[in-house]
Structure formats: structure tokens, C-alpha cells
């Protein structure tokens, strides 16, 4: 196996609804599990899914010990940021959007950085490698106010990855490029990688 997977027998995938839903057939966690089982048959790697719908950096850090470290993983993937931004723009109970992103339910960038860094440090102290997955787009419109704000969170996560020598998988950049390419050819009427602008469809996974 590549250096990142050497000695790895258990991976915990931490995240929100995208990770939780990623356990279903066709989901990204399910796909990773299938690939690992197919490629590394002689050294089985177990995946523990720790995705909970609606969770933000604050929620994930609060349950990090119980839901991640307690499983004693050698590798942890952290996918966080979508709800930290989206919940400042959308009142889910009232089903109303606030284009100025002024709702208090989001997680401000400095707090996001603090909580994400605490998780990285805790994982490394426990001897686990960390892979950071940048938050995927919010609406398939690069110019949406949500994506404009999310860019700072993607940048902050990437910077933390560099500081703490973590692997960073820039899903946001890859998906933004794919959406832009598809929209150039086919217009903006149909979602390319998501079912609803946020949750991933088979292509997104």
C-alpha cells in the first residue's frame, strides 16, 4: 500500500450528512470501502463512519474523543465546513434563505479554524494520520454568496493541512471545475454532482 495506508487497519470518516449518506451503496465512503477491500485483500481495512447530518466543526470537535479516537484508528478523514457556512444562510425550520448569511447558526471562520485545529492535533497526538477533505460546494453556482464565503473556509483548511503536515484532498476545487465544465456545455438547469445543490449524487460521490 502507499505510505498513507501502511499499517492502517481502521479508518474513521468524520463528517456531516454528506459523510453519513456516503455509507449508502454508491456513496463516497462505501466506494472507498469497496476499493480498499478489492485492492488490499490480504490486509483488511475497516471503515467506521462517523458522519452525522447537520454537524459543524463545533459539533464534531465535541464528539471527537467518543466517535473518532475511541475507535483507535490509524487514519482519520475530516470533512467539515458545509454546514458551518450554509446554516448562516438558510433557516431550515422556516425553510427560508438569508442571502446576507447573517443567521447565528453558522460557525464563524475563527471558531471553525480553532475547532478543526483541535481535532487535527488530537488525532495526531493519538498516533493517527489525518486526511482533510475540503468542503464541497453549496449550490452548483460558483458565484453564490454561500460559495463566496466557503472559499475562506477551504483556504483555512488547506493552510491547517500545510501547518500540521496532513494530506489535503481538495474536493471543492475538483467539483467546482467539473460543475463549470458541465455548465459550459449543457447550461445550468440540471445539477451535475448533487441532488439538491449540496448532497452528492452518484457522480458527486
Amino acid at each position: 500500500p502507499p505510505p498513507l495506508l501502511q499499517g492502517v487497519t481502521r479508518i474513521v470518516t468524520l463528517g456531516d450528512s454528506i459523510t453519513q449518506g456516503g455509507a449508502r451503496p454508491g456513496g463516497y465512503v462505501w466506494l472507498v470501502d469497496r476499493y480498499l477491500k478489492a485492492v488490499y485483500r490480504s490486509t483488511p481495512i475497516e471503515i467506521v463512519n462517523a458522519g452525522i447530518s447537520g454537524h459543524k466543526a463545533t459539533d464534531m470537535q465535541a464528539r471527537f474523543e467518543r466517535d473518532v479516537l475511541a475507535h483507535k484508528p490509524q487514519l482519520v478523514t475530516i470533512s467539515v465546513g458545509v454546514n458551518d457556512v450554509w446554516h448562516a444562510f438558510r433557516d431550515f425550520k422556516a425553510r427560508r434563505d438569508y442571502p446576507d448569511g447573517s443567521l447565528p447558526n453558522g460557525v464563524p471562520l475563527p471558531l471553525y479554524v480553532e475547532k478543526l485545529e483541535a481535532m487535527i492535533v488530537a488525532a495526531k497526538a493519538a498516533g493517527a494520520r489525518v486526511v482533510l477533505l475540503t468542503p464541497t460546494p453549496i449550490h452548483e453556482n460558483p458565484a453564490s454568496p454561500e460559495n463566496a464565503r466557503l472559499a475562506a473556509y477551504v483556504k483555512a483548511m488547506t493552510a491547517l493541512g500545510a501547518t500540521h503536515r496532513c494530506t489535503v484532498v481538495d474536493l471543492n476545487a475538483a467539483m467546482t471545475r467539473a460543475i463549470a465544465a458541465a455548465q459550459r456545455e449543457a447550461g445550468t438547469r440540471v445539477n451535475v454532482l448533487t441532488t439538491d445543490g449540496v448532497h452528492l449524487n452518484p457522480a458527486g460521490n
Side-chain angles (χ1 to χ4, degrees), residues 67-119:
D67 288 0
V68 179
L69 300 183
H71 293 287
K72 301 203 168 10
Q74 295 81 33
L75 181 67
V76 177
T77 66
I78 303 177
S79 167
V80 62
V82 170
N83 294 320
D84 302 68
V85 171
W86 194 22
H87 288 210
F89 288 86
R90 174 103 180 141
D91 181 337
F92 290 89
K93 282 197 179 74
R95 296 186 177 166
R96 231 186 105 192
D97 287 317
Y98 289 75
D100 64 350
S102 60
L103 295 174
N105 295 336
V107 173
L109 185 59
L111 185 58
Y112 170 83
V113 169
E114 179 195 319
K115 296 298 184 182
L116 177 54
E117 186 158 38
M119 291 190 277

Side-chain angles (χ1 to χ4, degrees), residues 116-165:
L116 177 54
E117 186 158 38
M119 291 190 277
I120 294 169
V121 169
K124 293 193 83 165
R129 294 170 201 148
V130 178
V131 174
L132 301 173
L133 310 178
T134 63
T136 51
I138 304 171
H139 308 314
E140 296 200 6
N141 167 16
S144 75
E146 291 89 340
N147 284 326
R149 185 177 295 179
L150 190 67
Y153 289 67
V154 171
K155 200 171 167 186
M157 177 184 273
T158 306
L160 282 174
T163 301
H164 293 283
R165 298 202 173 108

